[in-house]
Amino acid sequence: MRILMTTDTVGGVWTQTRELVAGLLRADPYIRIFLFAVGSTCSPEQLGWLRAMRERNPGRFDSAVHSVPLEWEQRNDQVDPFEPRLLSIARTFAPEVFHSSQFCYGALPVDCPRLVVAHSDVLSWFREVHGTEPEPSPWIDRYVSLVRHGVEQASAVVAPTRWMLQAFRDGFPAPAHTRVIYNGVSFRPRPPQERLLQAVTAGRLWDQAKNVALLQRLQHPAVPLLVAGASQHENETLKWKGSEAIQLLGNTSRRDLLSLFAQSAMYLSTAIYEPFGLSALEAARSGCALLALDIESMREVWGNAALYFRTVEELAAAIEHLASSPRALALAQQQAEATAAQYTRERMADSYRALYRELMDSPRGNSAVA
């Protein structure tokens, strides 16, 4: 099976792609993947992973990096849904399935089923963050046009949660064929070690949806708080007043982030919009207790395995409770880790393989998936 896949170099989509590619190649020796990465320039860590995958999988994995704005970025007037370089690769590679992490490429004229993944979208992001629809502008008008056209041409749309699928449907005409495939990760957690009584959070700090600024309102938290992630992107910057109790770590490599999770007792998710973030999953898989803002998508993924809060006062109380009760902390860590163990990349890859096969077996690639 030849799969042409796109990803972006910003945030969680990259991590999800890494897991999926590794899972697919491991699951089926007859799968070949060409990965086309768009967005800002790849980091040395990302380039190193691409190189390592080519070396480990000769003849089965290849990649190209193309520096072009993403459809949700301000410069989306530079986005071409018929990207010439991607089309050229498609002609040479002759994919049997096209899997895109960008809505706009759902319209790419390739002779195979086209699958688009709704990792998130600007309209649902805006509703959750600002409580309203975005004002018309050349940027948002262009975005809506790119997404609508891509989805209309796609054979299927996948979302990482039921919540995200419905949120997408609330902003755009419902695609004919949809499916929920939960994200997954697989890595070997570090051997049990003495954890530091500290809490960590990670992500795109510049993104208002992450709501990291809420942590500044914590008065004298019971444990040290560590915050990892980029603070700026395009015109967005984290407004941080500073706090002696909170340490900003800046952008952190995935290896260092996993090490940080393995050393920490708790992970805090303050996001008000979270289609299904992988940082919380990686932290829980590493043995952190999970404290999350009470939003529907987190409830869907984590059920009773997380401790939920609605206010900063409730967050402070939850941290203090876990910090003062080793038994409660251990139970919360075990519950989070047990639930995280269900979201593996093997399960995710198997679900995508099944969908690819359904699409390929459909006469038109457009009618078999419900």
Side-chain angles (χ1 to χ4, degrees), residues 138-209:
W139 162 67
I140 197 65
D141 293 346
R142 172 76 173 166
Y143 173 80
V144 170
S145 175
L146 287 168
V147 174
R148 188 185 299 271
H149 185 53
V151 170
E152 286 175 352
Q153 300 300 315
S155 309
V157 172
V158 173
T161 53
R162 294 191 300 273
W163 179 88
M164 182 61 227
L165 182 58
Q166 185 56 53
F168 181 76
R169 283 171 163 159
D170 290 343
F172 294 93
H177 308 303
T178 61
R179 185 154 301 179
V180 172
I181 297 180
Y182 290 101
N183 290 334
V185 298
S186 287
F187 58 89
R188 184 176 299 171
R190 290 192 167 192
Q193 56 183 286
E194 186 175 349
R195 292 178 180 273
L196 300 175
L197 195 55
Q198 63 186 21
V200 60
T201 191
R204 304 186 306 191
L205 309 186
W206 51 267
D207 185 346
Q208 296 176 58

Side-chain angles (χ1 to χ4, degrees), residues 301-312:
V301 173
W302 294 102
N304 295 326
L307 300 178
Y308 298 98
F309 59 89
R310 288 165 293 183
T311 66
V312 71

Side-chain angles (χ1 to χ4, degrees), residues 223-305:
V223 301
L225 305 183
L226 306 178
V227 180
S231 299
Q232 185 173 11
H233 181 76
E234 290 193 312
N235 299 325
E236 299 289 339
T237 302
L238 172 66
K239 297 177 181 177
W240 191 259
K241 298 177 181 177
S243 170
E244 293 183 357
I246 304 174
Q247 183 180 359
L248 289 183
L249 303 177
N251 222 348
T252 308
S253 71
R254 185 164 186 257
R255 180 176 181 177
D256 289 343
L257 194 59
L258 294 179
S259 178
L260 180 63
F261 291 157
Q263 298 169 11
S264 302
M266 312 172 201
Y267 181 87
L268 310 181
S269 174
T270 56
I272 53 180
Y273 176 80
E274 186 56 273
F276 185 3
L278 291 177
S279 291
L281 178 56
E282 291 177 326
R285 188 75 182 88
S286 300
C288 291
L290 180 57
L291 290 77
L293 189 68
D294 194 354
I295 58 175
E296 189 174 337
S297 59
M298 293 299 284
R299 288 275 184 181
E300 177 183 341
V301 173
W302 294 102
N304 295 326

Side-chain angles (χ1 to χ4, degrees), residues 15-189:
T15 305
Q16 190 267 350
T17 301
R18 279 184 51 151
E19 294 290 338
L20 180 58
V21 166
L24 290 170
L25 291 175
R26 178 180 288 270
D28 187 340
Y30 297 103
I31 280 183
R32 294 176 57 199
I33 297 175
F34 197 109
L35 183 62
F36 188 75
V38 296
S40 55
T41 304
C42 268
S43 69
E45 181 183 13
Q46 291 170 325
L47 290 173
W49 180 80
L50 292 173
R51 183 170 54 253
M53 290 299 290
R54 287 194 297 270
E55 292 172 355
R56 291 175 195 160
N57 303 278
R60 298 186 60 208
F61 178 82
D62 203 350
S63 62
V65 178
H66 190 51
S67 182
V68 64
L70 303 173
E71 59 201 359
W72 53 266
E73 292 184 309
Q74 292 294 323
R75 296 176 297 148
N76 63 4
D77 58 333
Q78 300 177 28
V79 175
D80 184 351
F82 309 117
E83 171 56 47
R85 190 174 176 193
L86 182 56
L87 268 176
S88 176
I89 291 169
R91 293 190 188 100
T92 303
F93 186 67
E96 294 171 282
V97 175
F98 176 54
H99 173 136
S100 179
S101 288
Q102 289 72 42
F103 294 111
C104 63
Y105 297 141
L108 197 74
V110 290
D111 188 21
C112 66
R114 296 179 295 273
L115 179 157
V116 171
V117 183
H119 296 283
S120 63
D121 81 273
V122 171
L123 298 191
S124 59
W125 179 95
F126 219 91
R127 286 195 300 273
E128 297 302 314
V129 172
H130 298 292
T132 183
E133 300 289 337
E135 294 289 334
S137 70
W139 162 67
I140 197 65
D141 293 346
R142 172 76 173 166
Y143 173 80
V144 170
S145 175
L146 287 168
V147 174
R148 188 185 299 271
H149 185 53
V151 170
E152 286 175 352
Q153 300 300 315
S155 309
V157 172
V158 173
T161 53
R162 294 191 300 273
W163 179 88
M164 182 61 227
L165 182 58
Q166 185 56 53
F168 181 76
R169 283 171 163 159
D170 290 343
F172 294 93
H177 308 303
T178 61
R179 185 154 301 179
V180 172
I181 297 180
Y182 290 101
N183 290 334
V185 298
S186 287
F187 58 89
R188 184 176 299 171

Side-chain angles (χ1 to χ4, degrees), residues 336-348:
E337 187 171 7
T339 298
Q342 301 174 26
Y343 297 105
T344 65
R345 75 177 175 202
E346 289 77 14
R347 175 181 171 183
M348 173 175 65

